[in-house]
Amino acid sequence: MFLLSKLFWVFAQPLSIAFVLSLLAALLGFGGWHRLAASSAFVAALLLFVTLFTSTGTVALQVLEERIQKPASDPAEISCMIILGGAFDNEINTARGGIELNQAADRFVEALRLARNYPEARILVSGGDGSISSDYEGEAVTAERFFTAFGIPALRLVKENASRTTYENSRNTAELLSSHGFQDCLLITSAFHMPRSVGLFTKAGIKVMPWPVDYRTSGIARLSFDFTQPALNAQLTTTAVREWLSLTAYYLAGRIDT
């Protein structure tokens, strides 16, 4: 299932679909199917236009980010926090032994802030190697280098280094929480990823306090044309499509209830 989902996403991305449609249009044209070729080319161009030059992806991502709000202030106390992986560049870190962060870096920056303000809180990092090759170190391994570099003792960390998906995050974390006696932990992940994460943890019987970070939208975006940032629009659309597809697939599979 893991490999199938990875391969599916290679072709389900908006730009991949546009490429396949363009290739199909060329093949149909060479074969003399000119009307079908024109239709395929038109759909590819329309998909590219929506992806690159509108705020559709931004709005779709914003809907997810607004579903679960972050508390207005820090809690009085924190006994534990769960950080979902996805913030480190595993390929580079495996090769260079570093702590290179990607766009989701806020997950660990915020966790570091909380760890320093709540010195008694335990930190459970959930994340393995989510690549198809499985050749890289997991995020929980890199996380130890990250936290200790900023003075957080390794003894405060609980590392779950086997998860490759959010579903595995919830299942593997449930076992660790039970064995360590952790309860009512903060759940730290990207805001757009929080609805699916909370759904999975709730389904697994884990009570958490959502602590969304890594916002990608302003919260006030509206549907409009946007010719100023096509690369960013494509990135946001791709992220939104992936998360909405994942939510739908998890719901249909019975892994989440809403």
Side-chain angles (χ1 to χ4, degrees):
M1 184 62 72
F2 169 74
L3 181 59
L4 182 62
S5 66
K6 288 288 187 179
L7 293 175
F8 171 78
W9 179 241
V10 170
F11 298 100
Q13 301 179 54
L15 295 183
S16 296
I17 295 173
F19 170 77
V20 170
L21 288 171
S22 299
L23 180 61
L24 179 61
L27 293 174
L28 289 169
F30 285 131
W33 301 82
H34 299 298
R35 286 191 176 184
L36 289 175
S39 298
S40 182
F42 173 78
V43 174
L46 180 62
L47 180 57
L48 282 173
F49 182 83
V50 171
T51 299
L52 297 173
F53 302 119
T54 77
S55 63
T56 302
T58 303
V59 172
L61 202 61
Q62 183 174 269
V63 171
L64 292 171
E65 292 188 338
E66 295 300 306
R67 285 181 64 178
I68 298 178
Q69 299 296 315
K70 185 176 181 178
S73 59
D74 289 352
E77 60 180 39
I78 298 174
S79 61
C80 59
M81 63 184 85
I82 303 166
I83 314 166
L84 300 189
F88 291 114
D89 192 315
N90 291 339
E91 181 178 2
I92 294 176
N93 290 329
T94 300
R96 297 181 179 274
I99 50 175
E100 298 298 327
L101 292 152
N102 59 32
Q103 193 173 0
D106 282 0
R107 299 185 189 187
F108 281 88
V109 173
E110 178 68 357
L112 176 62
R113 182 187 73 84
L114 293 170
R116 293 169 69 91
N117 290 343
Y118 299 88
E120 301 302 317
R122 298 295 300 276
I123 307 163
L124 194 161
V125 182
S126 179
D129 178 12
S131 68
I132 294 178
S133 66
S134 299
D135 288 338
Y136 311 126
E137 68 180 24
E139 299 231 352
V141 174
T142 313
E144 181 171 343
R145 290 201 297 272
F146 173 82
F147 282 110
T148 55
F150 290 96
I152 305 300
L155 290 174
R156 291 180 62 184
L157 302 180
V158 176
K159 295 178 289 185
E160 188 285 291
N161 204 37
S163 297
R164 300 168 299 172
T165 66
T166 309
Y167 175 71
E168 293 179 357
N169 284 142
S170 65
R171 296 303 169 185
N172 295 338
T173 298
E175 297 177 6
L176 284 174
L177 292 175
S178 176
S179 63
H180 284 80
F182 296 159
Q183 293 182 339
D184 300 333
C185 297
L186 258 63
L187 177 62
I188 302 173
T189 190
S190 300
F192 70 84
H193 186 235
M194 189 61 79
R196 180 158 56 109
S197 302
V198 168
L200 285 166
F201 276 80
T202 300
K203 188 76 171 181
I206 306 171
K207 183 180 178 182
V208 294
M209 177 188 293
W211 202 261
V213 296
D214 178 33
Y215 287 87
R216 310 285 176 93
T217 72
S218 64
I220 57 173
R222 298 292 183 267
L223 284 174
S224 63
F225 298 118
D226 182 3
F227 300 98
T228 64
Q229 48 184 13
L232 179 58
N233 289 336
Q235 184 182 66
L236 292 173
T237 302
T238 300
T239 302
V241 169
R242 181 171 190 170
E243 193 60 27
W244 277 107
L245 284 176
S246 297
L247 271 171
T248 303
Y250 277 26
Y251 177 73
L252 293 176
R255 290 181 172 180
I256 57 177
D257 292 329
T258 58

